[in-house]
Amino acid sequence: MIWFTNWALKNRAAVILLIVLSLGLGAFSYFTLPKEFMPAADNPMVTVIVMGEGTDASTISEQVTEPLEQAVGAVKGKTDVFSSTADGFTTIDIVLESTVDMKEAKSEVQEAVDAVPLPEGYSRPIVSQLNLDMIPLWQLGISFPNGITREAMETVEQDVVPKFQSLSGIANVSVYGQQQTQVKITLDQNKLENYQIPLQALIGLLQGKNLAVSISEETIDNKETNINVVGQMEGTEALERLRIAPNLRLKDIATIEVSDSNETFFTRVNGKEAVALLLMKESNANAVAIGNKVEDMIKSVNNEFNPILEMSMLVSFSEFITHSVDSLMQAVLLGALFATLIIFLFLRHIRMTMITIISIPLSLGMTLLFLSLSGVTLNILTIGAVAVAVGRLVDDSIVVIENIFRKAQNGDLSKNVIVDATREVATAITSSTLTTVAVFLPMGLVKSLQELLLPFALTITYALLSSLLVALIVVPLMSSRLLKKGNLPAYNKPHHYVRILNWCLNHKWVPILLSFVIFIGAISIYAVMPKGSTDATDNDISITMTYPDDEPFSKVKEEVFEMETFLQDKTDIKEVILFLGSNPEDAQYSEVQSQNTAQFHLAMKKGANTEKLIKQIEKQQEEYPESEFDIIQMSLVSFNNSTITLDIVGEESEQLLKVSELVSKTVEEIDGVKRVKSNQNSLKSVFDIVIDQDKANTEQVASQVNMLLNPFPIGTIKLDEKDTVVMLDSALEPTTEKDLRNLSIVLENDIVPLSSIAKIEKAEKPTSILRKSGKEYIRLSIEVDSTNLSSIAQEVNNKTSKLKLPDGYSIQAGGAATAQDEQFTELFQLMLISIGLVYLIMVLTFKTLRAPLVILFTLPLAVIGSVLGLVVSKIPVDIGSMIGALLLIGIVVTNAIVLLDRVRQNEETMTIRDALLEASATRLRPIIMTALATIFAMIPLLFGKEEMGSLVSKGLAVVVIGGLSVSTLLTLVVIPVVYELFHFRKAKKQQLAESTETTSL
């Protein structure tokens, strides 16, 4: 590696040009690299959704869910198939192995479900596969001061949407919750009876009034001519004048009105009806730059289209990205400042400190350039990786700077001295850098987090390799120029430290036994420490109000709007966004919810007291006893949640319900469990109309009952020169079983009551049917204290395993605890692989097996400090802590490598004891400097903001700071002791020989 140094000293002009280019290209890369929320990552699941409005769960399960489950059963890489069938829809989730190509899996599922013939009345299966790229980074609200009208919606679709589609970097713009103008005919049943007009006859009269039918092609006047039959109605007045019978028009028996709003789904912003615009960016576009364009376009639209519509930003991830990147870059700059101060305090030389000031931004610039060339974006993980690595960026430079400076303090600073000083440490810093790289590159093996950890690992790898090149090329060159003038302070050996080390070498059992006892204590503490997750939340609040399916929607709407008014009166809330009802558009995002569900998104003002507001909302929910509230602070960047799931699997619904109630009561008694929710809804009355096949045709009766009870389309009319759907509502609303029995059915030109041709059977059936891999199940979601996730999960498993369940029934655990166990297991495996790679690199460096084994003794020393740091800070062991432990493997061995590399060089001319004492004294300063630089560079992360997320978390900083602090102090004593123990015979012979020589003299 010294070749780089020799080349740099011979080609000063070229190196200076490369430095300028690297800084310039790095700065250019920072401003041009796409900035986004997260790296692209697929969710290993494909979802199939089928809608069947008005159909009960049991029917959909039999006719749709079970056939589709069988069809997707052969999909490659499938691990589980979950289905949730409710009134009006079914959702089937196919969970796949993380190694499966998701595009191929989605295509395979699409082919499988398309091959299944579904009965009439159901939508085509909607197949979706979500990834992070599908998150709409901007959600815009469009409210209408004068109400939603066809003209206003046309303005949105024809004028507003194209404006946003024209913005460069926007991949897709969709209108969410859009309203459709329709003409509704509401019949007056009393007048129909008075005039003795059967509904079915009226339907036959109304249908087909507005048609254009091509009849044939004939030769007329010696030319081929098409013949069409056209019937056209324009405007609602034409409908009102429509003759039903002599002296009877449609307006005499019905009310005709034009509706511009949806009656089953509401989107509202601050109490006004609205629609949302969802904007998704292109994969390589800069989210921050696009966000600025979107903000400008909102102002332009408001100026152009007021007062028809008002547009506002509901959710902007670009603002969040900007805030996160700024916070992390602030941590990077503070870390670099702290590292620079450490070097100045130790060397007390401004010009040598200047070298560090140049080396840090140069390493960062090269890192950004490599990221740009690799197609890796700037996001909270890659910027977080830079923040994590910034302390390590100066380690190589510090070792080189200190070695050159020490030799210069002895009064010699020729070119050869600089080369020799760099050569002395070149092997050590190269080996230490490669060991750290070896720790992070295998992160791709963590399957559950692969797509997220790989950019993180690549960023750290680029940063470390850049810092190595800077240390070997730039530092020697700048040293040759900056140290030529001026007096340098004399170098003082650390005599006190040498005396302590010599005593420890003479009494080896003391430091070894003490370290062993402390290590065992640390392992014991780790075993009982809480393993959980630290929350990373922003200010916004999400509220979900869920009512039973048998609750009338009119009552649900009334109470939800009351809650909306309550929230609007709160001064801490900037925007109240409401989604009420079931929107078929949600299917494309793998979500469908019950009609009786309302979701509030509360955008909070800066400095708002979120906790106080949540308490007020919790108190308010007492006013709505029928509704179940779910209130959460919205988390955008956390990789953990605190919900444990228990799936009770069995055969019979009633027995499953009993078992789930038993499990729920058992779990609720556990300390740390906040709430237990079940996805099994209450029972609902279902009337089965069983047709007598000898008296009537089932399909004809079903069609008539459907028309009697539900509004249905009968055709279109011209309204403002546009085709508009006409809906006929019979206004029949049976409130008793008797009303249902007396429904009039037309049968062979005769009108008979429904009860004369069918039996009406009433049953209590569940409003949803849940299946897992073909068997019915009930899922209990257990919300627990996130800081003590692992121990609570263990207690849940212990208590539920002791329950006596009926034969054929089982409890399967899942959720956050299971996911965390999987991630921890993979990370532990990765640690073992990393330790093996580190050992291999050190063997190649030292060309022996024993010296690398000595270096590995730093790892248990690091465990002591890490556990101590977590205990003192009261931070649970989370994913961030485990990443910190991985980082430590690469960092802590650096000090031992730098120390033992000097020892191996000294052994050529000294005894082992002298080599250890001299090397320890010489390397004390660079070891302390590199450790403190890394520790102080981590401090901004320790007190960092929540936007950094749970991967680049306080837990990571605590583990690195604690582990590095303790391991550095113990390394300076324990590693020399262990090294001499590993060479005990040789050291003993040398000491005897020295003793004999001393005696003879």
Side-chain angles (χ1 to χ4, degrees):
M1 300 300 289
I2 200 64
W3 177 88
F4 287 107
T5 305
N6 287 321
W7 179 85
L9 293 173
K10 292 176 182 177
N11 298 274
R12 185 178 295 117
V15 173
I16 293 173
L17 181 60
L18 286 174
I19 291 173
V20 174
L21 284 174
S22 297
L23 289 172
L25 290 173
F28 179 76
S29 297
Y30 176 75
F31 290 107
T32 58
L33 268 172
K35 295 180 179 68
E36 59 184 15
F37 172 51
M38 293 278 277
D42 284 317
N43 181 25
M45 183 172 71
V46 176
T47 300
V48 180
I49 293 176
V50 176
M51 312 292 291
E53 188 175 350
T55 313
D56 68 281
S58 299
T59 303
I60 297 180
S61 178
E62 181 181 341
Q63 295 182 347
V64 178
T65 309
E66 293 179 21
L68 290 181
E69 281 180 338
Q70 294 175 5
V72 301
V75 172
K76 296 175 184 176
K78 169 186 66 67
T79 58
D80 279 307
V81 176
F82 294 91
S83 67
S84 175
T85 307
D87 292 348
F89 66 89
T90 182
T91 302
I92 302 171
D93 294 326
I94 302 101
V95 182
L96 303 158
E97 296 174 357
S98 55
T99 54
V100 172
D101 186 310
M102 294 303 153
K103 289 183 180 179
E104 291 184 7
K106 179 183 177 183
S107 177
E108 189 176 350
V109 170
Q110 186 74 63
E111 290 179 9
V113 299
D114 285 346
V116 178
L118 299 180
E120 288 188 17
Y122 295 104
S123 70
R124 286 190 60 196
I126 301 167
V127 179
S128 60
Q129 193 281 313
L130 293 183
N131 59 53
L132 290 178
D133 279 341
M134 294 180 67
I135 297 176
L137 294 190
W138 303 273
Q139 299 178 27
L140 317 182
I142 304 177
S143 56
F144 305 88
N146 300 324
I148 295 182
T149 62
R150 169 177 284 198
E151 291 75 14
M153 284 306 303
E154 286 179 354
T155 300
V156 170
E157 294 168 2
Q158 297 175 11
D159 298 323
V160 176
V161 169
K163 286 180 180 292
F164 286 95
Q165 286 175 332
S166 67
L167 295 177
S168 60
I170 294 292
N172 185 43
V173 180
S174 58
V175 182
Y176 181 82
Q178 60 183 323
Q179 311 298 320
Q180 182 180 10
T181 300
Q182 62 183 27
V183 176
K184 187 175 181 181
I185 303 172
T186 306
L187 299 175
D188 186 323
Q189 288 295 322
N190 292 328
K191 290 182 179 179
L192 282 178
E193 290 179 8
N194 291 337
Y195 289 109
Q196 296 182 341
I197 300 173
L199 175 63
Q200 290 81 350
L202 180 62
I203 292 169
L205 178 67
L206 294 175
Q207 282 181 325
K209 283 290 182 182
N210 192 63
L211 282 177
V213 182
S214 181
I215 300 298
S216 69
E217 188 176 62
E218 302 291 339
T219 303
I220 300 177
D221 296 332
N222 297 321
K223 292 182 179 180
E224 290 293 325
T225 306
N226 289 337
I227 298 176
N228 297 334
V229 176
V230 178
Q232 220 172 45
M233 298 186 69
E234 294 192 10
T236 55
E237 292 181 0
L239 265 179
E240 292 173 347
R241 294 196 304 269
L242 188 64
R243 191 180 299 278
I244 304 301
N247 301 321
L248 183 65
R249 301 184 183 276
L250 183 59
K251 66 179 181 180
D252 298 327
I253 58 171
T255 302
I256 301 168
E257 57 186 358
V258 178
S259 172
D260 290 301
S261 61
N262 196 321
E263 296 182 357
T264 60
F265 179 76
F266 294 87
T267 304
R268 290 162 66 94
V269 176
N270 295 330
K272 299 178 183 177
E273 283 194 71
V275 296
L277 231 57
L278 308 182
L279 278 60
M280 283 172 272
K281 75 175 189 68
E282 294 174 354
S283 58
N284 294 321
N286 190 322
V288 176
I290 298 172
N292 295 332
K293 295 178 185 177
V294 171
E295 292 278 5
D296 293 339
M297 185 59 73
I298 290 175
K299 295 177 183 176
S300 173
V301 167
N302 281 332
N303 290 334
E304 184 175 352
F305 296 106
N306 264 340
I308 298 174
L309 57 83
E310 292 177 0
M311 178 172 279
S312 62
M313 181 73 78
L314 302 181
V315 178
S316 173
F317 275 65
S318 60
E319 290 180 10
F320 175 79
I321 294 167
T322 302
H323 197 44
S324 299
V325 170
D326 288 346
S327 298
L328 287 166
M329 285 308 296
Q330 184 180 5
V332 170
L333 295 174
L334 282 173
L337 175 63
F338 289 152
T340 303
L341 290 174
I342 291 296
I343 294 172
F344 177 74
L345 290 174
F346 272 84
L347 299 183
R348 287 171 293 169
H349 193 273
I350 293 177
R351 280 177 288 176
M352 290 304 286
T353 306
M354 285 290 294
I355 299 175
T356 309
I357 294 175
I358 294 296
S359 65
I360 291 178
L362 184 55
S363 298
L364 291 176
M366 294 171 66
T367 301
L368 292 169
L369 178 58
F370 290 147
L371 288 177
S372 179
L373 295 174
S374 303
V376 178
T377 62
L378 279 181
N379 52 68
I380 62 171
L381 293 185
T382 50
I383 294 290
V386 174
V388 168
V390 68
R392 182 66 181 78
L393 286 182
V394 293
D395 282 7
D396 295 341
S397 295
I398 285 175
V399 173
V400 175
I401 289 170
E402 194 280 335
N403 210 39
I404 293 173
F405 188 72
R406 181 175 53 82
K407 288 184 178 292
Q409 285 179 300
N410 294 328
D412 188 8
L413 192 66
S414 64
K415 176 181 175 181
N416 290 334
V417 170
I418 291 176
V419 173
D420 289 341
T422 306
R423 181 184 288 110
E424 283 182 5
V425 296
T427 302
I429 63 174
T430 302
S431 177
S432 61
T433 298
L434 291 179
T435 55
T436 311
V437 169
V439 166
F440 279 93
L441 274 184
M443 276 190 171
L445 298 173
V446 184
K447 295 178 181 178
S448 59
L449 294 172
Q450 185 178 40
E451 292 174 297
L452 298 177
L453 287 181
L454 195 55
F456 183 84
L458 281 176
T459 305
I460 291 183
T461 299
Y462 291 151
L464 296 179
L465 293 178
S466 299
S467 71
L468 177 62
L469 289 175
V470 170
L472 292 173
I473 296 174
V474 179
V475 170
L477 178 62
M478 293 186 68
S479 299
S480 69
R481 306 297 296 174
L482 295 177
L483 286 179
K484 281 190 174 181
K485 297 178 181 179
N487 296 322
L488 299 178
Y491 174 70
N492 297 317
K493 286 191 175 182
H495 298 292
H496 294 297
Y497 164 63
V498 172
R499 282 197 294 271
I500 293 171
L501 177 59
N502 193 45
W503 185 90
C504 289
L505 288 169
N506 290 328
H507 304 82
K508 295 181 179 64
W509 62 272
V510 175
I512 290 178
L513 183 60
L514 186 61
S515 299
F516 179 76
V517 170
I518 297 175
F519 174 70
I520 294 300
I523 293 296
S524 302
I525 293 173
Y526 173 81
V528 298
M529 278 185 68
K531 281 90 177 169
S533 62
T534 50
D535 293 328
T537 58
D538 63 11
N539 244 2
D540 290 359
I541 300 173
S542 173
I543 307 170
T544 302
M545 294 176 65
T546 306
Y547 286 81
D549 282 354
D550 57 359
E551 201 72 27
F553 184 66
S554 56
K555 178 185 175 183
V556 173
K557 184 171 70 170
E558 181 183 346
E559 293 192 358
V560 168
F561 286 174
E562 284 179 9
M563 184 66 188
E564 181 186 49
T565 303
F566 167 80
L567 294 171
Q568 284 181 256
D569 292 337
K570 299 301 170 186
T571 56
D572 281 346
I573 301 176
K574 181 172 65 175
E575 302 271 5
V576 178
I577 305 157
L578 167 63
F579 301 107
L580 169 62
S582 179
N583 185 6
E585 296 173 38
D586 287 333
Q588 61 184 309
Y589 302 108
S590 300
E591 289 184 8
V592 178
Q593 65 184 24
S594 167
Q595 176 75 26
N596 287 353
T597 301
Q599 291 182 323
F600 288 98
H601 178 107
L602 309 182
M604 307 297 291
K605 294 179 181 177
K606 287 186 178 180
N609 191 333
T610 305
E611 293 294 336
K612 180 181 176 182
L613 179 62
I614 288 176
K615 290 179 181 177
Q616 292 175 345
I617 295 170
E618 287 174 345
K619 187 176 180 181
Q620 184 68 16
Q621 73 183 65
E622 297 173 2
E623 303 292 325
Y624 308 101
E626 300 297 326
S627 175
E628 181 181 333
F629 275 63
D630 191 10
I631 309 165
I632 60 171
Q633 284 182 288
M634 296 190 68
S635 176
L636 297 176
V637 295
S638 178
F639 293 94
N640 300 292
N641 62 63
S642 55
T643 303
I644 301 168
T645 63
L646 295 179
D647 293 342
I648 299 104
V649 183
E651 298 291 343
E652 297 179 3
S653 300
E654 292 183 8
Q655 189 65 43
L656 271 175
L657 203 55
K658 292 179 182 178
V659 174
S660 70
E661 290 172 355
L662 172 64
V663 175
S664 181
K665 289 179 182 178
T666 304
V667 169
E668 284 173 346
E669 298 172 356
I670 297 173
D671 188 30
V673 171
K674 296 179 179 178
R675 183 169 58 165
V676 180
K677 295 192 299 182
S678 170
N679 62 355
Q680 176 63 53
N681 296 327
S682 57
L683 297 177
K684 179 181 181 181
S685 296
V686 176
F687 287 96
D688 289 332
I689 301 172
V690 183
I691 305 298
D692 187 334
Q693 298 295 324
D694 294 331
K695 296 180 178 179
N697 179 283
T698 303
E699 184 177 355
Q700 292 178 354
V701 174
S703 176
Q704 291 188 52
V705 172
N706 181 43
M707 289 188 294
L708 289 170
L709 301 183
N710 299 303
F712 64 97
I714 59 170
T716 62
I717 65 168
K718 286 286 183 181
L719 197 63
D720 299 329
E721 298 184 356
K722 297 180 180 67
D723 286 332
T724 305
V725 174
V726 179
M727 303 292 293
L728 180 65
D729 186 355
S730 70
L732 276 174
E733 294 182 358
T735 56
T736 64
E737 185 175 338
K738 181 181 178 181
D739 293 340
L740 191 61
R741 292 175 179 276
N742 290 333
L743 286 178
S744 298
I745 302 297
V746 176
L747 198 63
E748 295 181 357
N749 297 322
D750 192 14
I751 300 176
V752 298
L754 179 61
S755 58
S756 67
I757 57 171
K759 290 182 180 179
I760 313 296
E761 297 178 353
K762 182 180 178 181
E764 297 295 318
K765 295 184 180 181
T767 55
S768 64
I769 299 172
L770 310 156
R771 292 159 61 89
K772 180 177 182 179
S773 299
K775 290 186 176 181
E776 285 196 36
Y777 82 103
I778 292 177
R779 169 164 290 181
L780 297 180
S781 298
I782 307 163
E783 294 181 15
V784 303
D785 180 3
S786 62
T787 61
N788 200 15
L789 178 61
S790 60
S791 61
I792 297 175
Q794 185 63 43
E795 191 170 355
V796 168
N797 289 336
N798 290 339
K799 290 212 170 187
T800 54
S801 62
K802 295 176 183 177
L803 296 176
K804 293 183 179 179
L805 304 180
D807 292 339
Y809 292 79
S810 62
I811 300 175
Q812 301 170 5
T818 303
Q820 188 185 74
D821 287 343
E822 180 185 347
Q823 292 166 358
F824 277 24
T825 301
E826 290 177 345
L827 286 170
F828 276 124
Q829 292 171 351
L830 179 58
M831 287 180 190
L832 294 176
I833 294 170
S834 299
I835 291 170
L837 290 173
V838 167
Y839 183 67
L840 175 62
I841 291 172
M842 290 190 296
V843 168
L844 293 172
T845 301
F846 292 101
K847 297 179 176 59
T848 178
L849 295 174
R850 282 189 289 183
L853 277 178
V854 175
I855 293 173
L856 291 183
F857 271 82
T858 57
L859 299 181
L861 303 180
V863 170
I864 296 171
S866 299
V867 173
L868 184 63
L870 291 172
V871 170
V872 171
S873 63
K874 297 181 180 179
I875 291 178
V877 180
D878 60 1
I879 291 297
S881 305
M882 298 298 289
I883 298 296
L886 258 178
L887 183 62
L888 263 185
I889 293 173
I891 291 177
V892 297
V893 298
T894 299
N895 294 332
I897 289 173
V898 169
L899 175 60
L900 292 190
D901 180 67
R902 179 75 178 185
V903 172
R904 299 285 291 179
Q905 293 176 26
N906 288 345
E907 281 190 72
E908 296 177 4
T909 57
M910 302 178 188
T911 64
I912 290 177
R913 175 64 64 88
D914 291 340
L916 286 168
L917 292 173
E918 194 282 336
S920 299
T922 303
R923 294 289 183 248
L924 175 64
R925 186 166 65 176
I927 286 174
I928 296 295
M929 287 172 67
T930 55
L932 287 177
T934 304
I935 288 169
F936 276 90
M938 284 284 173
I939 288 178
L941 292 183
L942 187 62
F943 298 100
K945 298 179 181 179
E946 295 165 340
E947 289 88 349
M948 296 179 186
S950 59
L951 192 64
V952 186
S953 66
K954 295 179 181 179
L956 183 149
V958 165
V959 166
V960 173
I961 291 172
L964 188 56
S965 301
V966 174
S967 68
T968 299
L969 295 175
L970 294 179
T971 293
L972 292 169
V973 175
V974 174
I975 293 303
V977 169
V978 174
Y979 186 85
E980 192 171 80
L981 267 180
F982 269 57
H983 299 82
F984 179 75
R985 291 183 181 179
K986 184 178 179 181
K988 193 69 174 176
K989 286 180 182 179
Q990 289 174 348
Q991 289 174 13
L992 288 173
E994 280 188 347
S995 178
T996 302
E997 286 180 14
T998 304
T999 303
S1000 63
L1001 292 173

